[in-house]
Structure formats: C-alpha cells, structure tokens
Amino acid sequence: MIFKNKSVYRHPNGGETMELIDEKVIESEVISGRLVTKSGQIFSINNGIPDFTWPIILKKSDLDARISYDSLAEDYDKYNDFFLKTYNENENSLRTHITEKLKITPSSKVLDVGCGGGNSSEHIAKILSKEGELFLQELSPKFLNKAVEKLKNYSVPIEFSLGNACYLPFPNNYFDAAHHFGGLNTFSEIENFLSEITRVVKPGGKVVIGDEGMAPWLRNTTFGKILMNSNPLLKYQPPLEYLPVYAGNVNVEWIIKGAFYLIEFTVLKNEPAANYDLIIPSKRGGSHWSRYYGNLEGVSDEAKSLAIKAQEKSGKSMYEWLNETIKITAKTQLYKE
Ligand SMILES: C[S@@+](CC[C@H](N)C(=O)[O-])C[C@H]1O[C@@H](n2cnc3c(N)ncnc32)[C@H](O)[C@@H]1O
C-alpha cells in the first residue's frame, strides 16, 4: 500500500496544509503516522491509507451509506452480476465507455471518487503509465480494501484514501480528470460534492459522474415502472441544478438502457460571459446590459404614450430617445443656476 504524495493532501474542509508526524516509513512509503494541521486537526494513516473523513461525525445519509456499503462489500460481485444481467449489460463495455469520456493520457493525474471495489479505477489504471497518478477515494473501508487488492499490480502510482466525497482533501486544480459512479444520489451534500470535484480538476480537465436516474420518457413504461419498484434509487434525476458555474460543455447521457444518467463536463476557468454591450437592433434598442441594469421606474399611461410618439418622430430607438431625454433633463436640473 502506498502513501507517497503526502504533500498533496489538504484539510478536506478549507484546504489548510498538513504536516506529517510520527510516521513509519518502509521503502519510502508511509505505512502509518498522522497528518496534522496548524490548527491542530489530526488525520491518521493506517496501513498506508489516510482517513480524511469529514465531518468527523458524518451526516446521516453518509453514515448510512458507509454502514450499508461496508456490509455489502463481501458479496458485491454477486450484486454486480445480478445488476448487469438485469440490464443485459457488459461491464467491460460499460466501464470503457465511461472511462473514454475522461480523455486521459498515460501521464494524467486522475481521481476516482467513491471508487468502491475499484472496477472503474482498474480501467483508468490500464491507461496510465508510471508518469501518471491515480487517486482512489472511498467512504467504506471494506470497499476500499477491495480496491487496494484489485489495483496492487499496476505500474501507475496509486494513492488510496478514506473520506467523504463532499469534502475532498486535494488542492485546487490538481487533477486532469475526475470520476464518480454509483453513489452520488445519496451523498448528503450533492451541491458541495459537485463544487468539490470541480475545484480539484484543472481548467480544461474533465469531470464524469453518474448514478441511477430513470430517463424521464421511460418512467411510465413497463421497464420504468418495474425497475423503479425494485430499486427506488432509480427515481432520482440528474442534479443539473447543482452544477457549478465552472461546468462547461455539459453533456447528459442516459446509459444502461436509460436507467442511469451520466453527466460529463469540462472545467472552465471563469464563469461564462457574453457581449452584454451590443446594441439590440430593434425599435426598443438598448443593450442586454441596459435592459437589465438600466431600469428606473414606470411612468403614467399619458407619459408613456407621449414618449412613444416623440420617439417615433425622432427616428431614434426608444433606448436612445430615453437616454438622451433623461440626460438633458437631469443635467438642466442639476447644473442650472
Ligand atoms: C454503487 S457503489 C459504486 C462503486 C464504484 N464507483 C463503481 O462504479 O463500481 C457506490 C460507492 O459510493 C461510495 N459512497 C457512498 N457515499 C459516499 C460518500 N459520501 N463519499 C465517498 N464515497 C461514497 C460507496 O461506499 C460505494 O462504494
């Protein structure tokens, strides 16, 4: 088990840097120790795996998820098999399809959040070389142990950590791509998770996330009704309203016969902007900006109909006429002796 990149980690809530103390190192790998912030917060490392669980006492839905996934870990393959057979899906094609969207190269730095037993992580690891980095993060210790076992023979440096997807212990703009599949509907703070996964990916990098969510047009079909009855999680919808403003070129796809959604986006450097000052070529005139910010107050019916007549006579747009008229009147009143 590996814990090489100790300098990478930050406090999962606020980003304070941490110092490694009491470490036990074997062949340049930190096997145990503690990461301590200046304000005294301590995160322990056991068997090479730091535990960044935050908040210290998890919110109910995250705690429930940790307990239930821990109990599922042993029999996961059985459930996974049943799931794939239900939808007549091939796991390899499914994971390949998702992984391709990450647009990773052999030297990419990639994060797999809520990695479970590492099924998608393995697809990612196959693309990465020794120059790349793969970080696996998971809430359930038992699932993470499965991932550790599954990924032990890959050449890419791999870091494992325990924690909550809604509070990531990584610096801003660190990764080229980040991925999560299968748990986000029950994350306690979905908006925070979306903001966090975007924060840690550099501008231009990719985020690919997905979970259960029956396509809207299938909800009233036999397929939709039967499967949503067996698995109520399928009633969730993609949380598009919580995407951060830095999500660019957003694509939503329904996969697994339309029962799961996949959201893919490129991280933007800034929020989008437009040419607000262009004059709108119409009788009303004005710009996007002036129409939004330039409103003063309504006028009486009489004043409005006089203004329309005068504006038509002047040959100017309403914006130009009003702008000029108000400026003349205001200046006269302001500067008259
Ligand atoms: C259905 S499994 C999918 C695992 C894996 N991503 C895959 O595609 O096979 C969902 C995973 O999300 C993890 N999870 C649930 N809530 C989480 C949270 N708040 N933070 C991190 N992981 C979480 C669970 O422990 C579980 O391993």
Side-chain angles (χ1 to χ4, degrees):
M1 282 173 269
I2 306 173
F3 177 63
K4 285 176 187 157
N5 289 297
K6 61 182 186 295
S7 59
V8 164
Y9 295 113
R10 299 285 186 274
H11 192 293
N13 185 29
E16 222 185 325
T17 52
M18 299 192 243
E19 196 193 332
L20 177 66
I21 59 166
D22 303 335
E23 69 268 34
K24 183 175 166 206
V25 181
I26 300 179
E27 289 175 10
S28 82
E29 289 173 13
V30 180
I31 300 304
S32 63
R34 292 186 298 164
L35 286 157
V36 188
T37 65
K38 276 211 174 81
S39 55
Q41 193 77 50
I42 299 172
F43 299 95
S44 59
I45 305 160
N46 294 303
N47 295 326
I49 298 179
D51 183 350
F52 296 113
T53 300
W54 194 267
I56 300 289
I57 297 174
L58 286 168
K59 292 201 171 153
K60 186 175 174 344
S61 58
D62 297 323
L63 187 60
D64 288 350
R66 175 172 270 178
I67 294 166
S68 77
Y69 277 107
D70 259 352
S71 70
L72 277 177
E74 199 65 18
D75 288 331
Y76 184 67
D77 291 343
K78 190 173 80 189
Y79 295 116
N80 197 32
D81 223 46
F82 168 73
F83 155 71
L84 293 165
K85 279 187 183 141
T86 299
Y87 293 95
N88 271 322
E89 287 284 349
N90 171 283
E91 178 156 21
N92 188 45
S93 324
L94 191 63
R95 305 259 181 208
T96 304
H97 177 70
I98 297 173
T99 309
E100 276 170 2
K101 290 181 180 291
L102 291 165
K103 304 269 181 263
I104 50 187
T105 64
S107 60
S108 294
K109 292 179 186 160
V110 185
L111 171 65
D112 189 5
V113 178
C115 65
N119 293 22
S120 274
S121 326
E122 208 178 4
H123 277 253
I124 297 169
K126 282 179 185 158
I127 301 171
L128 298 175
S129 70
K130 278 186 183 134
E131 276 66 54
E133 287 178 22
L134 176 56
F135 282 68
L136 305 195
Q137 188 270 7
E138 175 49 52
L139 182 70
S140 147
K142 291 209 173 136
F143 259 106
L144 190 62
N145 286 342
K146 283 176 79 89
V148 170
E149 188 55 31
K150 186 166 279 163
L151 284 131
K152 65 183 176 202
N153 293 325
Y154 284 89
S155 61
V156 56
I158 304 180
E159 293 283 331
F160 300 91
S161 64
L162 275 170
N164 179 357
C166 309
Y167 295 89
L168 296 176
F170 309 107
N172 297 351
N173 308 334
Y174 187 78
F175 296 101
D176 297 293
H179 164 259
H180 166 72
F181 193 75
L184 90 88
N185 286 332
T186 63
F187 288 178
S188 62
E189 295 166 85
I190 293 180
E191 192 169 1
N192 220 42
F193 159 67
L194 292 170
S195 151
E196 280 290 89
I197 198 166
T198 307
R199 176 184 68 77
V200 301
V201 172
K202 44 183 89 147
K206 298 288 286 188
V207 174
V208 179
I209 51 182
D211 205 355
E212 282 115 329
M214 186 62 68
W217 60 94
L218 294 176
R219 289 180 175 239
N220 269 327
T221 61
T222 305
F223 174 82
K225 286 191 277 195
I226 288 185
L227 293 167
M228 286 195 293
N229 181 57
S230 304
N231 179 5
L233 289 171
L234 288 165
K235 292 180 187 160
Y236 277 96
Q237 297 192 19
L240 298 178
E241 69 275 30
Y242 294 135
L243 288 181
V245 294
Y246 303 107
N249 303 323
V250 178
N251 275 305
V252 186
E253 184 188 353
W254 271 269
I255 57 170
I256 313 181
K257 309 288 184 292
F260 284 64
Y261 60 82
L262 199 60
I263 305 172
E264 165 201 356
F265 60 86
T266 305
V267 176
L268 302 176
K269 201 168 183 173
N270 301 301
E271 70 171 84
N275 295 318
Y276 307 120
D277 294 329
L278 284 184
I279 295 299
I280 299 165
S282 73
K283 211 169 152 187
R284 238 180 104 199
S287 65
H288 300 290
W289 190 274
S290 70
R291 283 188 185 187
Y292 191 80
Y293 288 111
N295 290 328
L296 288 172
E297 184 51 80
V299 290
S300 67
D301 292 350
E302 189 195 1
K304 183 174 172 181
S305 92
L306 282 169
I308 291 170
K309 280 187 194 143
Q311 172 252 324
E312 280 170 352
K313 195 172 169 197
S314 74
K316 294 170 183 163
S317 73
M318 183 52 96
Y319 165 79
E320 288 170 320
W321 184 84
L322 272 174
N323 219 33
E324 259 178 48
T325 309
I326 291 171
K327 271 162 56 181
I328 290 167
T329 311
K331 280 181 184 165
T332 311
Q333 297 203 356
L334 286 171
Y335 308 123
K336 73 181 171 197
E337 308 209 9

